[in-house]
Every structure is written in C-alpha cells, then in structure tokens.
Amino acid sequence: MAFRLRVLSVLVLMIAAVRPAAALDIALSSFTLGNGMQVVVIPDHRAPVVTHMVWYKVGAADEPKGKAGIAHFLEHLMFKGTSNHPVGEFSQLVRANGGDENAFTTQDYTAYFQRIAKERLALVMELEADRMQNLVLTDENVLPELKVVQEERRERIENDPSGLLAEQLDAALYTAHPYGKPVIGWMTEVQQLTRQDALDFYAAHYEPGNAILVVAGDVTPDEVRLLADRYYGVLKNKRPLAERIRTVEPDAVAERRVTMRDARVSTPIWQRKYLTPAARALPQRDELAMSILAEALGGGAQSRLYRTLTIDKRLAAYAGAWFSDDQLDSGDFGVYAAPNPGVEPATLEKEVDVILADLRDKGITQDDLDTIRNRMIAESTYMLDSQETLARMFGVALTTGQKIDDVLNWERDIAAVTVDDVSRAAKRVLDLRASVTGVLLPEAGG
Amino acid sequence: MAFRLRVLSVLVLMIAAVRPAAALDIALSSFTLGNGMQVVVIPDHRAPVVTHMVWYKVGAADEPKGKAGIAHFLEHLMFKGTSNHPVGEFSQLVRANGGDENAFTTQDYTAYFQRIAKERLALVMELEADRMQNLVLTDENVLPELKVVQEERRERIENDPSGLLAEQLDAALYTAHPYGKPVIGWMTEVQQLTRQDALDFYAAHYEPGNAILVVAGDVTPDEVRLLADRYYGVLKNKRPLAERIRTVEPDAVAERRVTMRDARVSTPIWQRKYLTPAARALPQRDELAMSILAEALGGGAQSRLYRTLTIDKRLAAYAGAWFSDDQLDSGDFGVYAAPNPGVEPATLEKEVDVILADLRDKGITQDDLDTIRNRMIAESTYMLDSQETLARMFGVALTTGQKIDDVLNWERDIAAVTVDDVSRAAKRVLDLRASVTGVLLPEAGG
C-alpha cells in the first residue's frame, strides 16, 4: 500500500473542499446490520461494476502510547492471509476476477476497498468479512513486512525534505492531540512494533460494530442488504470496543515556527498551517465558508496569493492555499509559496501576511463568492463522475463525525454561504496563535 | 504540594550542575531488600535528625495515553489516608512529632520524604510503607483534590505567561518523547482524571521493587537495615511492574521557534533550549564538560553572556545559561536573556548567537576552566552541607539512570575535564536543529 496514504491525502483534500451537489441524483440508502455495522448503498448503473469498501473507525490517532504506526502497519498485515485464505490469495482472487483493490490509513479511519464486476460482489464481501475476524499473523509474514513499512517511511519521509518538514509542522502545531504524530509513525517506534502489537490493535478495533460498509455501483439496496446480511451480518462483536482516547487540544497560545535546512533542497518552500475547529463542531455552512476562503486566497491562478505573488510581483514560483476538514477532531487551513530565485522567504512571508490581513479586514466581494462557488460546484460535479470518489466521500464523512445529509445538502449549504460568513471565517481561521509556519531551505552556504 | 515541583526544578538544576566532591567524607552504604527495594544510607551525625525519602521510579513521562497529570495527581492523593491511617493522620503524626514532610513529582520519579528526630524514623517508615500498599481513595477525597490540582495548574501555568511559554517550548522541543507533556498535565486531560485512573497508576507502579529508600542522618547502616527489613522488607510485589514506555526521540532535523504575546507581559524574555543526550548515555566527564560550558556561558556576572550583554553592551537586563541533566532520557541546555527597554529581542538574539558561535569555535581557556571548576567545587561543598540536598542527590541519580559512583566520583571526574572536552561539548550541544527558541512579548501594540 506504499503510496496510498499520499494519494489519499490529496484526494481527501479535494473532497473536503468540494462536496457533491444535492442536485446530484443519488438514490442513496443507509441501514444498520444487527451487529451494528452501518451500510451505505449508492446505486450507480452507468457500468456493470461495483465499488466495495469497508471502513474501520480507527486510525493512527487511536494508537496506544509508544505504538506509533501500528494502525498503518496492521493495514499492511491485513493482506497476510486468514485461516480460510492463505497469504496472497485475497489479492490473487480479486485480480483473477478482473478487480483491483486498495487500502489506506489516516489518523481517523482505515479503509479497504475493491472495484470489481457486479457479479463478484459476493466474492469480495466474503473475503473482506473473513479477514475482519480470521486474520492469521506469523513472524515469517510480520517481520519482513515491518521492513517494508520502514522502507516506506524512508522513501516518503526521511528521503523527502518536504515530507520531513510536514511531519515537523504537525508535531509543532498540535501540542497534546495525537494528530501531532505521523500516520506512518516515528521510525524509533515503528522499529519496535511486533506481531503481538498488531494482533492487539486488530482485536481492539476490527469489529463489525466498528465498521462501515459502503457499496457503490450497479446494485440495488435490496441486493446489497441480502449479501451484507449473509457475509457481515453473521459476524459477532467479540468484545466491547476499545475507547478512542482523543485529547482535546488545549487552546492555542503561541505562534510556532519550524525552519529546516537540507542539502537536498534546491528551491526554498514557505508554508503555514492554521488549526481549525473540527467539521463536526461547526455548521456545514461555516465549514464551507472556510473552503471558499481558501479558494479565494489560493485556489488557482485567479486567487489572491497566486495573482499577487506570482503574476504581479513575481516573488514566487507558485503560491496557494488549501482547507482540509477531513479529520474527526480538527481541520487545517494551509497557505504556501515558493520564493523565486533571489527572493528571501522572509520577504515573501511579509507579502503573504499583507494579503492575509487584507482578506481578514475586507473579506471578499459578492462577485468573488459567486465565481468561486460556481467553480466549486462545477468541479464537484466533475469529480463525482467517479464512482470511487463518490463512495469514498460518504466513507470519509461517516468516519469523521459528519452526516450523510451534510454530503447530500452540500449544494444547498454552499448556496447559503454569504460574504459575511467568509469574513467571519477569515477572522476565525487567520489567528497566528493557532498556527505553525514552516520554512524549508537549502543547507546553509549550500 | 502546590509549589514543590517548582522548588524541585530549581534544586535539581543546581544539583545537576554541582555534584558532591569525592573529598566529601560519606561512609555511604547501599543494599537491596528481598523484594527488590533499594536502600541507600548516608550517615550524617551533625544533628540527631534523619531525612527519610522513598523514591518511586515512575513519573509523568510514564503516564498512559490521555492521562496527563495522573502521576502528579496521585502524589496529591497519597495523603488521603489508608486502611490503617485515616485521611490527614499521616501529616498530623509527622507534625506532632516535630517533623516536616514533602513530596514532588517529575517526568521520571515521584518522591516522598520526611525530616524528623532520629527516634521517629520507625514511625515515618511505618507510615510510608503503609501507604505504599494500603492507599484508600474515595470520591469524597478525590474529586475535591482534582479541583486543587486544576487550581494549581491555573496558578502556575495559565496565570503565568512564562510558565505557559515554558510548556510550549517543551511541547515544541520534543517531537515524540513524553517529556513534551508537562508534569502537571494538560488541563483538558487533567479535568478528565478519575479515582480509578489514580488507583490504576498506583497499582501499576507503587511497588517495593520499584522504589528506592534513601535515609540520611544520625543513624548507622545497621539500624536502617533493621528497620527497613521490618517495615519495607515484609511488603510483597503484588504484580509484575508495568513497562515504562519511553519513545526514543527521533534525531532532531529542524530549528523550532515559539512566539507568545501576552497582555500580562511587561518585559520581553528571550530563551533557547537545546536537547542534549541523557546523562546515562555519556561518560560523566562529558556531562560535566556541558555543565562547565553552561557556567562559562551564563553562570553569574563573570559569564560571557552576562558580561557582554548586560555590562558591556547594555542590551539585556539579565542573561544567563543553565545545563540540566536530571532526566532519565535526555537533558537540556538553556540560554536566556531579557532585553532592556527599547532593545528588539531579535537584536539581542543576534548578539547571543555571536557569543555562542565564538564559544563553539574558540572554546574556553585553561584559566576559564580552572576558575569555573573551583567555583563549582566550592558551591558543591557548600550545598552539601544540607542533609536534605545530600540525600536528594542520590535519589535523583538513582532514578535517572546514574550510579552512586557518578555522585561519589564527581570531583575526580570534574578534575579530569579538559578545555578540549568543553570544546567538544560546545560543538555537540550548540546545534540549532536540536533547539527551540522562545520569545515572550507584550501584546502587540501593548
């Protein structure tokens, strides 16, 4: 699953910014099995295929003390076979039946999915339900995979200065909440993970009552209910679910800054992240105001950051902003820019701060709002053409404390956002005390 | 125990910098009871009193996920009575017998001690041994005490900008290690602590096999052994000790900075902390070279920081440095200065960096070394005149991975430190990647 996390972070980020239009004709149905497993069915009859996803409401932020990386490591180990299907058979069967599969781990959820011909839905359900309870781990399988995970970390973090910086930024931004810990885990803890750690985490969190089934594709709710009952409904929850220990991040009191020098860096990068309330803690309308704020600030070539820094003043090679609210306990609002040769990052930062202050003081115009909103709606319609994206969106929403209605009412809610909402969002978000600023530089004198 | 932590942090810091001279005539003896409880006896016949200390090898860094502050909270609750002595009786008996008592919690250890007439040693041993195993906690006692701890946090952290900044600095300096969490705990977690949390922590860590008894005073080793066997030796370890989960802090890769503005601040404060290896990880000689480095840099009016910034350039109201190696897993080396009115902290920082660079490049002279060493030895001899300090020193050493011999050989080891050792120490310590710089400022425009 080497590169899934990165793929996800990008995808979810887009998803977070663009929810589906209510106009989208989804005859969605949702129900719960006797064992508490939630089921969401999204009919999509454009092609005779289905996307089958199982989402566990557990992620890196739920890891026990000292076991950083165990959620992601277990995701890898879920492919190591069960008492019914030896190692490798799962993936072989999926491929042999013309399907493909995927898995990913975040701070809040771990998800497994397959895309396959509709006639094979029962097959993947049987396989997924099987590994929900019958995983078999041997040191012969676990120990080599632990090396794989360490190598994955080396590739994505140690060997990538921007990856290292991102990790340091989160570590500095969160003082107490586990989001300050990287999903892939600190190398010093990952190296210590054991087969037993994985089995303990599996036993504590992989239960039908802690899972959500999302099926999108050429099926009816009744067909899905029948199969879901047969394969998942028969599973018993073996124990009470482990408590999710999520510290409430204390109120931010200080501006933080991380400066990293690395010989591998040629172009400096400047960025800042602001902590924002969790999506579930605000009305969706306020969340969407933050998305619109991010778009106004740094969404594309017409955005204020890009226009001013890249086109008008030629200070930056590129500049942008993002808003991500795909987490259970908090979101983050980011701003970034890459100084042109000869431009001091500090100079660039001053210019960014001027743009931010202007936006905070003056807000945006109705024209800005309308333009951005129309673009977001158009993009969402385009994105939702993908069955996988569609299915993934509901999985993300339901594992991060949001409701199906939030997704379905997206266009209604974004239509309700006013310029005043955006101004309030700017004042709420752009508070340096809740921020970390990161600067990545070439080695001194380098 | 409201202000113990602060008192301790100061004391230990001095202790860390000045260990006792081997010349000091200590007929120290050390032995272990059948249940694994270590005993250290330090005869001191100058007065008919004894200092009795029990040190538990557990502190805030050993707290379970989400239970920040439970180690310190339990320290408070240890005074709430046992099945043999109702709440209050412990302290009453100590006072009624002319003694006084104390307790403190750090990241690595929790200690309880009494100073009392030699004839009463058996009494305090009986009481301390009793509460090691028979603590009784009721919600009537626990809930009000939880309010006390929260108030203690308000007084010492929330109401003290420098306390808040110190907390933020540690949170930024440690990326993965629990030392980034304050001993008193994050308020959002402290508020959630329960009676059961305290009982669980007590059961997991308060065992004779996890404790060290230190007795200093007008007693002989044989007398102490007799009493220790009678009161502590009879106790059984009820369960295997809970594992101490101490993440190895990943290699530092980025310079960090924390800027805090607070309306309550009148004079800005600038400071920087560097992470250093744990005392147990280096030969004492290298540790002492770091102590000498701190003295050369910021120990008193003759130090480079004070002389240059305060006397010569009149940039700072005060300036100094410290080195603290009283922790099990890492030490820290600190530099601080308070800019005079009208002096920008950034200006002051530039000057500090010049002084640091000079020290790193040129090191110190033999004269510097001799002067500093003589002063440290003189101070240590003076400090060790205190029976409590003497006893405390061995407790700290033994609970932070150091050896009795490290303490006893202090003067021999400091005598061996060369100017080259100090230069190597400067190059090892003064690495910005392993540092956090903190600036405390008045509210903007204030």
Side-chain angles (χ1 to χ4, degrees), chain B residues 127-140:
Chain B
L127 290 167
E128 201 61 78
D130 174 43
R131 70 175 169 180
M132 187 182 291
Q133 298 206 311
N134 306 317
L135 183 65
V136 174
L137 297 182
T138 65
D139 281 340
E140 297 69 53

Side-chain angles (χ1 to χ4, degrees), chain B residues 265-281:
Chain B
V265 172
S266 50
T267 315
I269 296 174
W270 177 94
Q271 60 183 292
R272 183 181 292 154
K273 279 176 89 170
Y274 296 87
L275 211 53
T276 67
R280 58 175 173 164

Side-chain angles (χ1 to χ4, degrees), chain B residues 392-403:
Chain B
R392 197 191 276 249
M393 202 160 35
F394 287 96
V396 170
L398 291 173
T399 50
T400 58
Q402 300 169 72
K403 293 178 293 312

Side-chain angles (χ1 to χ4, degrees), chain B residues 111-307:
Chain B
Y112 301 85
F113 71 88
Q114 306 82 34
R115 178 176 166 82
I116 200 160
K118 58 183 289 190
E119 299 79 15
R120 303 287 187 272
L121 180 56
L123 168 71
V124 292
M125 279 197 182
E126 186 275 318
L127 290 167
E128 201 61 78
D130 174 43
R131 70 175 169 180
M132 187 182 291
Q133 298 206 311
N134 306 317
L135 183 65
V136 174
L137 297 182
T138 65
D139 281 340
E140 297 69 53
N141 291 334
V142 171
L143 301 181
E145 199 63 34
L146 187 58
K147 297 295 179 200
V148 170
V149 173
Q150 292 175 49
E151 184 49 35
E152 181 181 342
R153 188 187 149 87
R154 265 178 227 105
E155 279 174 28
R156 292 187 19 234
I157 311 291
E158 272 77 5
N159 295 346
D160 173 4
S162 64
L164 270 175
L165 180 66
E167 195 170 77
Q168 294 293 315
L169 289 180
D170 284 338
L173 184 58
Y174 295 94
T175 54
H177 193 286
Y179 288 166
K181 179 171 58 70
V183 169
I184 198 164
W186 303 111
M187 186 65 95
T188 53
E189 292 190 359
V190 171
Q191 288 164 336
Q192 304 298 322
L193 296 176
T194 66
R195 172 177 163 279
Q196 192 55 52
D197 293 331
L199 288 172
D200 293 344
F201 199 73
Y202 176 72
H205 300 285
Y206 280 52
E207 294 274 24
N210 199 36
I212 299 169
L213 171 66
V214 177
V215 178
D218 192 11
V219 284
T220 67
D222 290 344
E223 292 172 298
V224 173
R225 186 189 293 267
L226 196 72
L227 293 170
D229 276 328
R230 183 183 311 156
Y231 294 106
Y232 295 108
V234 295
L235 304 179
K236 302 264 168 296
N237 292 298
K238 293 180 176 171
R239 68 187 68 197
L241 283 174
E243 182 198 3
R244 300 183 89 173
I245 299 171
R246 297 295 187 94
T247 295
V248 173
E249 177 68 8
D251 291 340
V253 295
E255 173 183 358
R256 281 141 285 173
R257 179 175 294 267
V258 174
T259 304
M260 206 179 105
R261 297 179 181 278
D262 194 296
R264 298 164 294 183
V265 172
S266 50
T267 315
I269 296 174
W270 177 94
Q271 60 183 292
R272 183 181 292 154
K273 279 176 89 170
Y274 296 87
L275 211 53
T276 67
R280 58 175 173 164
L282 292 175
Q284 177 160 244
R285 178 173 158 176
D286 290 333
E287 284 291 303
L288 292 170
M290 290 193 274
S291 296
I292 289 166
L293 180 68
E295 286 291 307
L297 191 57
Q302 285 315 304
S303 69
R304 296 172 182 223
L305 285 171
Y306 192 89
R307 219 174 43 227

Side-chain angles (χ1 to χ4, degrees), chain A residues 13-18 287-307 319-324 333-336 359 364 368-369 371-377 379 410 414 422:
Chain A
L13 200 140
M14 293 159 63
I15 290 159
V18 291
E287 284 292 303
L288 292 170
M290 291 193 275
S291 295
I292 289 166
L293 180 69
E295 285 291 305
L297 191 57
Q302 285 317 305
S303 69
R304 298 173 180 220
L305 284 172
Y306 192 91
R307 221 173 44 227
W322 82 83
F323 173 58
S324 167
F333 187 101
V335 183
Y336 59 88
L359 188 57
I364 66 173
D368 292 335
L369 177 57
T371 311
I372 290 165
R373 181 157 41 202
N374 293 339
R375 188 174 69 242
M376 287 171 73
I377 291 169
E379 282 170 355
W410 183 84
I414 200 170
V422 178

